Amino acid sequence: MKHRILQAGRLLPSLERRLAEEFDLHLLANEADPPAFLAARGHEFVGFVSSAGIGASAALMDALPNLRVISSFGVGLDKLDLAAAKQRGIAVGYTPDVLNDCVADLAMVLMLDVARRASEADRFVRRGDWTKPGLAAFPLGRKVSGAKLGIVGLGRIGRTIAQRAAGFEMEIRYHSRRPVEGVPWAHEPSLTGLAQWCDFLVVITAGGAGTRHLVDAAVLDALGPRGFIVNVARGSVIDEAALVRALVERRIAGAGLDVFEDEPRVPPELFGLDNVVLLPHIASATEETRQAMADRVFDNLQGFFREGRMVSPAPLP
Ligand code: NAP
Ligand code: 8YV
């Protein structure tokens, strides 16, 4: 008999097909009244497939009283209540490592784009400004190669960003709660100190309560009018209201943002600023990486039911 699995949201069609072949899959997205469905049929499910963006709350777990495993599409666990899962004996799988390359690549994209004004220059050309007689020349950008890079969070992705930045001959330091052993980059115990030192501050910590507004007005002021910030972690890690103020008042040089506090809502004050690059949370969004993430979601679930262990079990508190 096939295990009965509930899926939240929609995933890659190829993953949904594989899940439907292996399991008795039900899509919560097809239900007109999900809470009523969960109340009536929640007891049927032993597995739950979710994503970093949706997560799983304690209330959801309560609505699935026979749940044994959650397999999440993504590495971020900030929306998944790990303590509640542990308390209920529910195993959790996620997709670390397979997305390191693409998230790190996108951090470089944002750094280069905002500093070299690439998106702004593209708008300049499309508007026809390049051909307008008498118009001032396009403004100069800032050099990335050889600049000082501060990385906030030297985990799997942070390290991958550092490796790429080393290829740009950047001087690299990082901030995290503990120094990381065996890396050639200097640990900076004070985030404000790191911001003061660097030209580019790239944020790639975990999200959640522990890092909420880690980058606040004081850190932005330390970064200063020559400093750029890039966020590929979670919107919650930066005090977004303080960031908007700092950008509007030109107290920092610019920002490259893939993530926001209340996605998909982006503060409208940012739309008119040329020194800001805004992306719709696409750091892992390549065909190759999303397929690798999909494979890991499937392998975690299949591994749990066939062998009692997942390829990538999430660390439970
Ligand atoms: P990871 O290996 O667990 O690294 C997380 C890093 O954050 C660690 O170095 C950790 O170091 C640091 N950290 C945690 N709490 C901190 C704090 N309070 N202050 C300073 N540093 C802190 O995770 P990862 O795989 O690199 O992924 C990082 C995050 O990227 C994910 O959790 C996810 O939210 C985000 N992400 C975003 C996208 C996207 O599409 N934009 C894609 C993938 C991942 P210490 O514990 O030593 O402090
Ligand atoms: C996800 C992400 O693809 O992995 C994460 O934590 O933020 C992205 O890679 C996205 O959230 C889809 O759920």
Side-chain angles (χ1 to χ4, degrees):
M1 216 182 66
K2 288 180 171 181
H3 295 288
R4 189 135 165 84
I5 305 292
L6 184 67
Q7 179 185 311
R10 297 307 302 261
L11 298 164
L12 290 193
S14 60
L15 172 59
E16 292 188 349
R17 273 195 301 278
R18 272 186 98 189
L19 289 169
E21 276 163 27
E22 175 83 6
F23 304 105
D24 175 11
L25 183 72
H26 190 90
L27 268 56
L28 194 55
N30 287 346
E31 294 302 324
D33 185 348
F37 174 82
L38 288 174
R41 312 265 304 269
H43 63 279
E44 294 173 8
F45 299 97
V46 292
F48 183 60
V49 180
S50 189
S51 63
I54 294 176
S57 65
L60 183 277
M61 294 176 210
D62 285 340
L64 304 172
N66 294 311
L67 192 63
R68 294 167 56 199
V69 60
I70 297 172
S71 183
S72 181
F73 184 94
V75 69
L77 295 165
D78 44 301
K79 290 192 175 164
L80 211 155
D81 192 333
L82 292 174
K86 185 180 179 186
Q87 202 183 24
R88 290 160 180 75
I90 299 168
V92 177
Y94 70 147
T95 69
D97 291 316
V98 295
L99 39 58
N100 294 352
D101 282 340
C102 281
V103 181
D105 290 353
L106 199 89
M108 298 307 295
V109 165
L110 284 171
M111 243 191 297
L112 289 161
D113 190 338
V114 70
R116 298 301 311 274
R117 301 175 177 264
S119 291
E120 184 188 349
D122 176 88
R123 291 191 290 273
F124 176 86
V125 172
R126 286 170 199 260
R127 272 197 311 268
D129 284 0
W130 200 15
T131 56
K132 277 187 194 151
L135 208 81
F138 187 74
L140 299 180
R142 293 270 306 285
K143 186 172 175 182
V144 176
S145 290
K148 291 177 182 158
L149 169 64
I151 301 179
V152 189
L154 199 76
R156 290 169 291 244
I157 301 170
R159 260 176 270 202
T160 314
I161 294 170
Q163 285 157 3
R164 277 152 181 64
F168 281 75
E169 288 157 353
M170 297 183 86
E171 202 182 325
I172 301 163
R173 295 185 189 174
Y174 70 96
H175 168 78
S176 53
R177 289 168 297 182
R178 288 166 292 274
V180 178
E181 277 183 27
V183 298
W185 310 296
H187 178 249
E188 172 55 73
S190 151
L191 176 52
T192 311
L194 185 71
Q196 219 153 26
W197 169 81
C198 71
D199 302 303
F200 294 88
L201 191 68
V202 173
V203 181
I204 186 62
T205 62
T211 54
R212 187 171 180 278
H213 291 188
L214 187 66
V215 176
D216 58 11
V219 173
L220 295 170
D221 282 336
L223 187 60
R226 298 280 293 165
F228 294 93
I229 192 159
V230 164
N231 190 4
V232 285
R234 286 290 182 265
S236 59
V237 185
I238 301 182
D239 178 342
E240 197 167 85
L243 175 63
V244 169
R245 276 196 304 277
L247 284 164
V248 168
E249 294 164 13
R250 305 277 162 169
R251 284 187 286 109
I252 62 171
L257 307 171
D258 184 47
V259 288
F260 301 88
E261 278 202 342
D262 186 23
E263 293 174 8
R265 276 167 284 278
V266 174
E269 299 94 316
L270 298 182
F271 294 152
L273 301 182
D274 264 335
N275 59 338
V276 180
V277 179
L278 305 168
L279 301 181
H281 201 144
I282 56 160
S284 70
T286 63
E287 292 175 16
E288 295 85 350
T289 287
R290 286 289 167 87
Q291 189 56 54
M293 293 164 70
D295 290 345
R296 188 60 56 88
V297 166
F298 182 86
D299 291 345
N300 279 339
L301 213 49
Q302 191 185 54
F304 176 84
F305 284 115
R306 287 198 184 173
E307 296 153 32
R309 63 190 162 89
M310 289 180 283
V311 183
S312 305
L316 296 179

